[in-house]
Amino acid sequence: MIFSHFVDWYRIPDEILKSQLKEAKENGVENLVFIDPWICRILRNPQDFGFFKHELLGKFNFFDMHAPYGECYDLACASQGRRDDVVKDHIRAMGYAADFGCKTYTIHIGAFDSVFFHKPNEEIRPLAVETLEKLIPAAEKYGIILAVENAFERSNTPEEVMYYVNYFNHPNVKCCFDSGHALIMDPHPGSGSYDSYMTDTVWSGKVEIFADAFEVMAPAMVTCHLHDNAGYSDQHLPPGEGVEKWDVLADKLLNKAPQLLSIQSEAVIFGKGFALADVVKRYRKIFPGLA
């Protein structure tokens, strides 16, 4: 099992990044996630690939990449002027992922049209299916698994994630379980404190609860994003700062997800004012011998 640290390095200027990476190494970090701001930067300016290759390759191991995401990168991007380039950009990104040795590529279905235009999933699915159909050959070529991630919108529920996994029934289409996103949708006391954006904009007046996200996704789970929150918003906190039951979650991940290949931290460190060494220590306590 691989434990990969997802760190918000993009907040760090290039001139300081080297010292921060050195600190990570000194704290025993060996595996890093190739984060989406890095690959977006390379897609915009291919010459930046040389910078990351020089600073990272051979110094850290990379098993996981987070794909670019957002309305113009998501699988269900509805812009006809953008759809061809969505596919091209993801294929390019997977090529760079392969250069770094990545085996999983976490990707979003997308929620823009679901949230802001209230499109039903039946209209969103054909777009995401079409995109995945075009990405699978590249995934096969590069030996990368497309890991579709759950979130907290109608188009990104665990059931929707599994729709695509089951539709393709393909070894290169699996899922990424995001524990923080699942926690938001889980029934618990904190879930009564959603803000108006979540209640009115995302869910049109009635937030739907999903109690068994892990169980739904476990059969096809190849990687996961782990972070904490208070139960009603996507805070990306380190373990212990929210309401997640980490002992229960760790047991499930290690014993009840038969295809799991990697575990990824996804707590915001620099953006929340936490020390990298402290956050690494928290994950290591939960997953001794891995983190």
Side-chain angles (χ1 to χ4, degrees):
M1 184 78 67
I2 302 292
F3 192 103
S4 298
H5 289 272
F6 190 115
V7 181
D8 50 331
W9 304 109
Y10 62 93
R11 303 176 192 275
I12 305 298
D14 287 352
E15 296 79 11
I16 303 173
L17 179 61
K18 186 179 294 187
S19 65
Q20 293 295 327
L21 290 169
K22 181 180 179 184
E23 180 183 345
K25 200 76 171 178
E26 290 171 348
N27 281 280
V29 173
E30 298 291 339
N31 306 309
L32 294 179
V33 179
F34 204 100
I35 58 176
D36 46 282
W38 282 352
I39 190 60
C40 285
R41 178 174 161 181
I42 292 170
L43 292 176
R44 289 192 301 269
N45 183 10
Q47 291 196 78
D48 282 345
F49 175 69
F51 169 78
F52 289 111
K53 187 175 180 179
H54 179 266
E55 295 298 333
L56 301 171
L57 203 57
K59 300 172 184 175
F60 294 92
N61 304 314
F62 289 87
F63 192 85
D64 307 286
M65 176 180 281
H66 196 303
Y69 69 94
E71 196 273 333
C72 64
Y73 283 112
D74 290 337
L75 292 172
C77 171
S79 170
Q80 294 305 310
R82 174 67 187 152
R83 284 195 56 77
D84 287 345
D85 287 331
V86 170
V87 173
K88 290 176 183 176
D89 283 344
H90 281 302
I91 290 175
R92 288 171 59 207
M94 280 191 280
Y96 288 118
D99 286 335
F100 271 85
C102 296
K103 298 301 179 185
T104 77
Y105 185 78
T106 296
I107 195 164
H108 287 196
I109 299 165
F112 188 84
D113 286 313
S114 174
V115 170
F116 297 108
F117 295 93
H118 308 295
K119 285 189 177 181
N121 289 339
E122 289 75 16
E123 291 184 29
I124 290 170
R125 289 172 189 156
L127 295 171
V129 165
E130 179 186 60
T131 306
L132 282 168
E133 284 176 339
K134 294 177 179 179
L135 294 182
I136 287 172
E140 292 175 320
K141 174 184 176 181
Y142 292 122
I144 286 174
I145 300 173
L146 299 164
V148 184
E149 179 182 344
N150 63 301
F152 43 84
E153 304 93 354
R154 187 176 289 106
S155 57
N156 293 317
T157 65
E159 287 88 347
E160 281 302 298
V161 169
M162 292 305 294
Y163 170 85
Y164 299 100
V165 173
N166 294 327
Y167 178 92
F168 286 100
N169 190 27
H170 193 286
N172 293 81
V173 180
K174 300 293 182 180
C175 64
C176 170
F177 171 69
D178 190 297
S179 70
H181 297 165
L183 184 60
I184 295 170
M185 307 312 302
D186 198 42
H188 51 74
S191 62
S193 303
Y194 296 120
D195 60 19
S196 60
Y197 170 77
M198 186 74 169
T199 304
D200 301 327
T201 305
V202 175
W203 283 97
S204 306
K206 181 176 173 56
V207 177
E208 294 183 23
I209 299 300
F210 296 90
D212 301 311
F214 180 90
E215 287 72 19
V216 168
M217 297 175 66
M221 193 185 302
V222 292
T223 190
C224 59
H225 292 163
L226 304 186
H227 49 103
D228 215 335
N229 61 62
Y232 52 88
S233 62
D234 196 22
Q235 296 169 289
H236 283 260
L237 297 171
E241 298 294 323
V243 297
E244 183 64 81
K245 297 176 181 176
W246 286 98
D247 55 341
V248 175
L249 178 58
D251 178 68
K252 287 182 177 181
L253 288 167
L254 296 175
N255 298 302
K256 298 178 181 179
Q259 296 195 64
L260 191 66
L261 300 173
S262 67
I263 294 171
Q264 302 180 43
S265 69
E266 208 184 30
V268 171
I269 297 177
F270 304 117
K272 300 284 188 180
F274 291 97
L276 188 150
D278 174 54
V279 174
V280 169
K281 187 182 298 183
R282 295 188 192 206
Y283 282 106
R284 191 167 287 146
K285 184 176 180 180
I286 300 166
F287 299 97
L290 287 182

